[in-house]
Amino acid sequence: MEDAFRPSTDLDDPPNSRLFLVTSKSITEDMIREQFSLFGEIQDVWVVKDKQTKESKGVSFVKFTKSSEACTAMEEMHGKCLVEGTKPIKVFIAQARSSGSHRDVEDEELTRIFVMIPKTFTEDDLKETFKEYGDIEYCIIVKNKTTGESKGLGYVRYHKPSQAATAIENCEKTYRAILAEPRNKTPAPDNDYFSPARAEHVQGDPGMTSYPFVDSGFHTRGDMRGTDIITRCLMVSSRASITQDQVYSLFDLIPGMDYCEMQQDSYGFSTGQAMIRYNNLGSAVYAKNKLDGFEYPPGNRLVVTHIDDGQDRRSPVGRMAMQLVAAQMMSIVCNAPTGPPPLRKTSTGYPSPAVPQSPRVQTDVALPPLQKLAPSDSRVKERLFVVFKPLPLPMDVLEDVFCRFGSLVEVFLVPGRNVGYMKYAERKSADDAMATLHGQMVNGVKMKVMRADPPKEESHKRQRTY
């Protein structure tokens, strides 16, 4: 074929019906078609070739007639060898060209569907209706925040992408089932998960409002420009996943905190924000200036802003008192030593806590003890390819985590991309790291750990050996 799909083929109709394959360069179109036709009707196979040499680039696309067939093929063929002696293939759902990213078998976005249901439906009714298409992880009924009544909308989360796709294709059309899209796929900023179909029902509905997302621009500590008020209430925004307990533990280091609550949207999902209230203005000002831009978890900068706490500030005396306290606290912050100062009482009567130092590695994974790095001139016997979501972890954290399996030679992050390589002097160490860390969260970052393809020169040596 030419280096494009035939014009008669709509690349993304239906959505998620096109696969993106990473294969050995020796894999041909016929080999791909033979293996993947077992999962359904194939419309097209495209092996991408170099325009000059006409040799395969090791990248291919497979277009199915149904999304469920494509998802099943991805689940079954990812990591398999098409031909004996070739490397395992990587299979992804090819995303629309406007998106520029591909979805893999572990992508949560492919497993959750959005449906319209009778308002009399309970979660048990919803689960009973959709369980025939696959194993369900959970169901959610969307309710009016004020009345608690069902809005006739719901979510169903399956364990596998193929199950969600099958449900969309085969359920009654009255449910108008579609794949639920995350917030950042649409312009709407008011909840974590949003789909175009849902927007039709949300517009004009006062019960569907939620907390506005605070501007994500990071501010320099001590910079109060652009802030109209200084109050005892703070709004904390985080791009990485963070729990209420984590926020509470961090801000409770500054004495005087009365209140801490994670904010949720109309569907019960976290907005990535928390509201903090202190019992005195000084603590709030100190917290804002010390923790705005603070990395917690490491690699994720928090945004902290003052919000209205409902206090009347029309009195000139009240405004002067507020400005005086704020100025005193700002002076303390700006003149404090760079190192973490001890907790002490200041001249204004407000405590000045030490800068919080969070543990460098935060994870639920049971990690082995630290081990020394292998000598830098050690021969690399195995490399791991790591994908980070949403952002890469700092180098020191990666060394801390991956050295625990022994014989780590080097950590390398690809500039400008959310991927990196871990180089090991022993294959067993790499295997142990991959088995322990694949799919796990470290410091709020999810890691996909896979065996990397051998370098080109090493690959050529192996071929000459054969």
Side-chain angles (χ1 to χ4, degrees):
M1 290 188 59
E2 299 296 329
D3 278 1
F5 281 98
R6 284 186 282 269
S8 60
T9 301
D10 190 331
L11 291 180
D12 301 300
D13 182 25
N16 303 317
S17 59
R18 187 165 52 102
L19 296 179
F20 173 76
L21 278 58
V22 180
T23 70
S24 298
K25 293 184 178 181
S26 59
I27 298 299
T28 66
E29 177 183 330
D30 289 339
M31 294 176 182
I32 294 173
R33 190 179 294 274
E34 179 183 358
Q35 295 289 335
F36 281 80
S37 62
L38 300 174
F39 303 100
E41 181 182 348
I42 293 177
Q43 287 184 318
D44 249 321
V45 176
W46 169 31
V47 176
V48 182
K49 298 180 180 180
D50 186 282
K51 292 182 179 179
Q52 303 292 329
T53 65
K54 302 302 180 181
E55 293 181 352
S56 169
K57 291 185 175 183
V59 174
S60 305
F61 292 87
V62 181
K63 176 68 172 69
F64 283 89
T65 58
K66 292 183 177 182
S67 303
S68 58
E69 297 170 346
C71 288
T72 301
M74 173 181 65
E75 294 162 6
E76 296 296 328
M77 296 301 295
H78 184 70
K80 300 290 179 65
C81 294
L82 288 184
V83 178
E84 186 177 353
T86 60
K87 67 181 181 181
I89 66 173
K90 297 179 176 69
V91 186
F92 308 89
I93 292 291
Q95 188 61 294
R97 287 184 173 181
S98 60
S99 170
S101 61
H102 303 296
R103 293 170 166 175
D104 65 21
V105 70
E106 296 182 1
D107 199 321
E108 296 178 358
E109 296 174 15
L110 293 172
T111 60
R112 192 178 63 258
I113 66 174
F114 173 71
V115 294
M116 295 180 62
I117 55 176
K119 291 187 176 182
T120 56
F121 257 37
T122 64
E123 289 186 0
D124 288 339
D125 294 330
L126 185 57
K127 187 172 184 178
E128 185 67 26
T129 302
F130 284 88
K131 71 178 184 180
E132 65 176 289
Y133 307 111
D135 297 329
I136 293 176
E137 185 172 332
Y138 64 76
C139 294
I140 294 177
I141 301 289
V142 180
K143 297 181 180 180
N144 187 295
K145 292 175 65 176
T146 305
T147 65
E149 295 179 352
S150 169
K151 287 184 168 292
L153 306 172
Y155 292 93
V156 181
R157 169 74 181 275
Y158 287 94
H159 286 280
K160 294 182 179 181
S162 60
Q163 297 168 341
T166 301
I168 291 174
E169 293 168 357
N170 298 315
C171 72
E172 293 183 16
K173 300 305 178 185
T174 54
Y175 292 117
R176 297 181 64 179
I178 60 171
L179 202 63
E181 294 287 350
R183 177 184 62 195
N184 59 8
K185 297 293 183 182
T186 72
D190 54 353
N191 47 55
D192 277 337
Y193 297 96
F194 203 96
S195 64
R198 186 189 307 167
E200 300 172 8
H201 312 289
V202 172
Q203 292 173 355
D205 189 338
M208 297 294 282
T209 58
S210 60
Y211 300 95
F213 192 78
V214 175
D215 178 26
S216 60
F218 298 121
H219 312 288
T220 305
R221 287 182 190 172
D223 186 0
M224 299 299 292
R225 291 172 294 180
T227 302
D228 295 326
I229 57 174
I230 302 174
T231 71
R232 294 178 296 167
C233 281
L234 303 174
M235 183 65 75
V236 183
S237 301
S238 170
R239 290 180 177 177
S241 175
I242 189 169
T243 67
Q244 178 161 316
D245 287 343
Q246 289 175 315
V247 177
Y248 182 95
S249 298
L250 179 63
F251 282 80
D252 193 45
L253 291 171
I254 300 172
M257 188 177 70
D258 279 343
Y259 178 81
C260 172
E261 183 181 15
M262 291 297 295
Q263 306 294 285
Q264 296 181 336
D265 63 15
S266 306
Y267 310 100
F269 295 106
S270 171
T271 63
Q273 295 175 285
M275 189 166 73
I276 308 291
R277 182 185 177 94
Y278 287 93
N279 58 22
N280 66 85
L281 187 62
S283 292
V285 172
Y286 193 95
K288 194 273 180 191
N289 286 278
K290 277 296 183 183
L291 297 177
D292 183 30
F294 184 74
E295 289 197 11
Y296 184 83
N300 172 61
R301 291 186 179 273
L302 299 177
V303 178
V304 184
T305 57
H306 289 281
I307 59 174
D308 193 357
D309 59 1
Q311 297 294 315
D312 187 352
R313 294 181 177 79
R314 290 173 295 181
S315 165
V317 176
R319 286 201 302 270
M320 289 178 61
M322 179 189 73
Q323 292 167 358
L324 176 61
V325 172
Q328 290 174 327
M329 294 305 301
M330 289 286 290
S331 176
I332 293 169
V333 171
C334 294
N335 296 322
T338 55
L343 197 63
R344 64 188 184 277
K345 202 76 170 179
T346 70
S347 59
T348 61
Y350 296 106
S352 170
V355 177
Q357 300 294 314
S358 58
R360 184 161 67 167
V361 177
Q362 302 171 31
T363 180
D364 293 332
V365 181
L367 294 174
L370 286 168
Q371 297 192 40
K372 293 182 179 180
L373 295 176
S376 58
D377 58 352
S378 299
R379 181 188 174 193
V380 176
K381 294 185 178 179
E382 193 65 83
R383 299 188 311 155
L384 297 180
F385 179 68
V386 185
V387 181
F388 304 96
K389 188 175 181 181
L391 294 170
L393 290 164
M395 292 283 287
D396 60 334
V397 174
L398 289 172
E399 282 191 357
D400 187 308
V401 173
F402 283 87
C403 78
R404 295 168 182 263
F405 303 92
S407 75
L408 178 67
V409 178
E410 182 187 8
V411 172
F412 174 75
L413 292 177
V414 180
R417 300 186 62 188
N418 295 341
V419 299
Y421 292 89
M422 310 297 145
K423 301 178 181 180
Y424 285 92
E426 298 294 337
R427 288 192 173 88
K428 184 181 183 305
S429 299
D431 290 342
D432 291 344
M434 180 169 59
T436 302
L437 297 172
H438 179 64
Q440 301 297 330
M441 298 280 287
V442 174
N443 291 2
V445 175
K446 185 174 182 179
M447 299 190 299
K448 295 175 183 176
V449 186
M450 301 164 279
R451 201 182 307 280
D453 296 334
K456 289 183 178 179
E457 58 272 15
E458 184 178 339
S459 179
H460 292 328
K461 288 180 182 177
R462 290 181 180 177
Q463 289 177 2
R464 286 197 297 268
T465 302
Y466 294 142

